[in-house]
Amino acid sequence: MVHRNGNGRYGRRVGPNGPRRRQHGRGSPLRGLLIFGSILGLGLMVVSLIVTLATLQATTAAYAAFSADLPPVNGVEDRNTFKTVSIYDRNGILLWEFWEPSAGMRTPVPLNEISQNLIDATLAAEDAYFYTNPGVELKGILRALVQNSSGGGVVSGASTITQQLARNVLLSPDEKYERSISRKLKEALLAYRLTQNFPKDRILELYLNEIYYGNMSYGVEAAAQSYFGKHARDLTLAEAAVIAGLPQAPSAYDPYHNAQAALDRRAYVLDQMARHGFISEREAELAKREPLKLSAQKVEMKAPHWVNFIRDQLEQRYGPDVVYRSGLKVFTTLDLGLTEQLQQVALNNRDYLATKDGSNTAITALNPKTGEILAMVGSMDYWDRDIDGQVNVLLSERQPGSTLKPLVYMLSFLKGWNPATTIMDTLSCWTNVAGYRWCPVNYDLTFRGPVTVRAALGNSMNIPAVKTLEYVGVDTVKDYARRFGITTWDDKKNVGLSLTLGGAEVKPLELAGFYASLANNGLRIPLVGITRIVDAKGNVLEDYKVPPGTQIVDPRAAYMITHILTDNQARLITFGPNSLINMPR
């Protein structure tokens, strides 16, 4: 009989041997010996060996011999296997899932997060008497032999769900694929022990999260996402039957490459569900008529530069072993909507950049008060090989032009200068230690004599900036740059006065971090991309709290710089009254 509970999910069923979810107590050693003896006898019969069973004492000795070599069954829960890592944006939007390159996808989920349709379909296809058998099903082995012989191929496996779990988790890789009576006996004995040590629901949950479903998908959640683009809890009856039919032969029943075989296998699973009372025959027929609607195999990564940025951070903090075996759910600071808007801005500027001999661009957006990276556009187009689109420009060393001048002038304020201090904008030359004579000029090749710091910075004059750096000192600028998070000069000894004109490369993301500190009145909040990390067991590994930050410079010095940068009158000489940087803030 089949009935549904109030939320539409299947309730408890009653099969031919009573409620299928009845839990067994611990079995007696004698029962284990009898089961072992029965399996041993069946195995010998299968290979047509004509022997006479020895006494119970002989069987006991054989049982003891096998038992000595069996691994402990608690290894079924303790095994540290690979799991899929999921990365989300700040609003909980899944950006990408990645996994150990040599393994596949695996996202463990509890039994109550798995569709009852899929649970029932799995039981019907693999082990209809799972809740009443002691871990092995002798009738099933005989039935499989007959079905496989008459069907001309793999129709039904001879192993129960518990046996499959024991084989996949507890046996060594060499034994797992071995076709021998010895392996079958070990598998059966381990399955019996699992039944005595774990509740049936736990065994089923472990199995559903372990078994391979093809297309690099391990466990039902990965399979549901791979084939139908949805969670395991949301699968329809027809979809569940497709997935439940895969473990016996994932390649043979692959719906992407052999749709008809997958449909035939689905029909078999649905028939088995009806036969065992999980669904009615009408429900089975209706499900058989549903078209096979698979999700597209290629799913484009959202915010690819960001995903790789976060992946690198995870591997640096925890190491690959933890990253790929903890089932991490990583919640990040990124706003996907904002990032996609800025990505479009970058693409829209392709033609304009071409007029300036440019072919690529990068954009980021930060929250100065929290250090959160809100957007990361690492290149104009991640998928464009002609511009090396997969190189994240924000993390690459680039010539910064005049963007370091505010840092130099701000440090001059710490030594007593102010926006009204006068600097001579006249032809000036410097000679370095190698004897090279350097005479920088302004952008418009004009000299203006005495100018204030406000005018010099506002109009981005070069000669006053070099003189200011000479006054402050290169080492002082390098030191404060490091405090603000600019790390690219740490190992560079040849950084000289040209630094203030862009003569030393920086990483754009680090430079943006400096400007965020400037906007925060000189208070540095380290940049952050990860707000929360939870492992597969629900343990919180990280939970970001905004730190108090470090006051790098006197707030008054930072304020004077930002005041100059927002002063449209201070930049009229070079940029005019209606430039693009005349913003309303």
Side-chain angles (χ1 to χ4, degrees):
M1 296 294 293
V2 180
H3 64 87
R4 299 177 186 269
N5 57 24
N7 62 11
R9 293 166 66 88
Y10 291 107
R12 291 169 60 89
R13 278 86 168 178
V14 178
N17 293 322
R20 288 201 176 91
R21 298 200 175 188
R22 184 181 66 205
Q23 301 296 315
H24 287 277
R26 295 181 181 274
S28 66
L30 179 59
R31 185 179 182 185
L33 294 174
L34 293 175
I35 289 176
F36 175 81
S38 299
I39 297 172
L40 178 61
L42 179 61
L44 295 174
M45 179 189 67
V46 169
V47 297
S48 302
L49 295 176
I50 304 175
V51 296
T52 303
L53 290 177
T55 61
L56 180 61
Q57 181 178 4
T59 304
T60 303
Y63 176 79
F66 269 88
S67 297
D69 295 331
L70 294 178
V73 293
N74 58 5
V76 76
E77 287 191 316
D78 297 338
R79 191 173 71 134
N80 187 23
T81 187
F82 74 89
K83 301 177 181 69
T84 303
V85 182
S86 304
I87 296 180
Y88 302 86
D89 87 333
R90 66 186 303 108
N91 299 310
I93 299 173
L94 180 64
L95 302 177
W96 189 242
E97 292 179 309
F98 59 89
W99 50 89
E100 189 174 12
S102 62
M105 298 177 288
R106 177 185 276 117
T107 304
V109 289
L111 198 61
N112 60 12
E113 285 294 312
I114 300 173
S115 163
Q116 190 68 43
N117 288 323
L118 183 51
I119 292 173
D120 293 343
T122 300
L123 292 173
E126 299 294 332
D127 191 357
Y129 298 93
F130 169 76
Y131 278 99
T132 57
N133 66 43
V136 292
E137 183 63 61
L138 302 181
K139 292 180 181 179
I141 297 175
L142 290 172
R143 181 176 64 252
L145 289 172
V146 174
Q147 290 178 336
N148 293 345
S149 176
S150 62
V154 179
V155 178
S156 176
S159 297
T160 64
I161 281 174
T162 316
Q163 286 175 265
Q164 292 179 56
L165 179 63
R167 178 174 67 246
N168 280 282
V169 177
L170 297 176
L171 294 182
S172 68
D174 291 337
E175 287 182 304
K176 184 188 304 185
Y177 301 108
E178 182 182 287
R179 291 179 174 270
S180 68
I181 295 178
S182 174
R183 192 270 292 173
K184 200 70 178 177
L185 290 172
K186 288 183 178 180
E187 175 188 300
L189 288 173
L190 286 170
Y192 175 70
R193 290 185 179 181
L194 283 171
T195 303
Q196 308 313 306
N197 285 273
F198 294 97
K200 285 286 190 175
D201 280 353
R202 180 58 178 155
I203 293 173
L204 182 59
E205 180 179 282
L206 290 167
Y207 171 85
L208 290 171
N209 282 296
E210 173 68 30
I211 206 72
Y212 181 57
Y213 288 92
N215 284 290
M216 301 300 289
S217 301
Y218 293 81
V220 291
E221 179 69 11
Q225 293 288 351
S226 293
Y227 295 111
F228 298 106
K230 58 175 63 175
H231 293 294
R233 63 174 177 265
D234 299 323
L235 292 170
T236 66
L237 175 58
E239 293 166 345
V242 170
I243 290 178
L246 289 170
Q248 284 296 328
S251 297
Y253 301 129
D254 185 341
Y256 286 116
H257 299 97
N258 198 341
Q260 189 55 54
L263 290 173
D264 292 344
R265 179 65 176 171
R266 180 181 73 174
Y268 167 78
V269 173
L270 291 167
D271 286 341
Q272 290 297 106
M273 292 181 74
R275 175 190 170 197
H276 291 287
F278 291 106
I279 59 175
S280 67
E281 291 187 2
R282 175 171 174 75
E283 287 175 309
E285 291 304 316
L286 290 175
K288 290 178 188 178
R289 298 175 192 172
E290 287 191 21
L292 186 61
K293 296 180 180 179
L294 301 172
S295 63
Q297 275 193 288
K298 183 182 177 185
V299 179
E300 190 168 295
M301 187 189 306
K302 297 181 176 70
H305 282 298
W306 178 253
V307 168
N308 289 320
F309 172 67
I310 295 298
R311 180 176 186 164
D312 289 343
Q313 286 196 346
L314 292 172
E315 290 187 354
Q316 290 171 15
R317 292 186 199 179
Y318 297 102
D321 190 62
V322 173
V323 170
Y324 296 117
R325 295 179 184 276
S326 299
L328 302 181
K329 292 185 177 180
V330 184
F331 300 90
T332 70
T333 60
L334 189 86
D335 185 321
L336 180 61
L338 176 60
T339 297
E340 290 178 338
Q341 289 179 31
L342 294 180
Q343 184 71 65
Q344 193 59 49
V345 169
L347 288 170
N348 291 344
N349 277 282
R350 185 190 296 272
D351 294 340
Y352 174 76
L353 285 175
T355 67
K356 305 294 183 181
D357 295 325
S359 62
N360 204 357
T361 188
I363 310 173
T364 188
L366 312 175
N367 184 337
K369 301 299 182 183
T370 65
E372 293 175 297
I373 304 172
L374 303 178
M376 178 176 280
V377 177
S379 67
M380 185 179 294
D381 184 352
Y382 181 86
W383 308 106
D384 189 343
R385 294 185 178 182
D386 292 337
I387 62 170
D388 293 326
Q390 295 190 12
V391 174
N392 191 336
V393 176
L394 292 172
L395 306 179
S396 305
E397 295 186 13
R398 290 292 186 269
Q399 199 269 355
S402 295
T403 55
L404 290 168
K405 289 176 181 175
L407 172 61
V408 175
Y409 282 111
M410 182 169 61
L411 297 181
S412 77
F413 296 162
L414 300 182
K415 295 188 66 173
W417 286 15
N418 62 63
T421 298
T422 299
I423 310 172
M424 293 302 295
D425 179 24
T426 57
L427 177 62
S428 303
C429 297
W430 288 266
T431 303
N432 64 17
V433 293
Y436 175 74
R437 185 175 173 81
W438 178 52
C439 303
V441 296
N442 292 319
Y443 177 76
D444 57 3
L445 304 178
T446 301
F447 303 104
R448 294 184 171 81
V451 295
T452 64
V453 167
R454 180 177 291 273
L457 175 56
N459 291 283
S460 191
M461 297 177 184
N462 288 339
I463 296 171
V466 176
K467 290 183 175 180
T468 304
L469 176 56
E470 186 177 38
Y471 169 66
V472 171
V474 172
D475 289 341
T476 298
V477 173
K478 288 175 63 178
D479 176 52
Y480 272 90
R482 187 182 304 108
R483 297 189 202 182
F484 278 113
I486 296 175
T487 62
T488 49
W489 301 338
D490 289 351
D491 301 323
K492 295 180 180 178
K493 299 180 180 179
N494 60 343
V495 175
L497 293 176
S498 64
L499 179 153
T500 192
L501 305 183
E505 295 180 332
V506 300
K507 295 178 181 178
L509 184 63
E510 293 182 349
L511 183 62
F514 158 68
Y515 274 90
S517 299
L518 193 61
N520 209 21
N521 289 320
L523 179 69
R524 179 176 182 254
I525 306 293
L527 298 186
V528 62
I530 297 172
T531 55
R532 186 176 173 86
I533 300 178
V534 182
D535 67 16
K537 296 180 179 179
N539 300 314
V540 178
L541 305 185
E542 292 188 26
D543 193 7
Y544 178 70
K545 307 295 182 186
V546 180
T550 303
Q551 191 69 47
I552 306 298
V553 297
D554 189 314
R556 293 172 295 182
Y559 172 77
M560 286 189 284
I561 291 297
T562 56
H563 191 273
I564 293 172
L565 295 178
T566 57
D567 183 358
N568 197 49
Q569 296 299 313
R571 51 177 174 260
L572 293 178
I573 296 174
T574 299
F575 300 100
N578 299 309
S579 68
L580 292 175
I581 55 178
N582 183 23
M583 295 179 287
R585 62 179 186 275

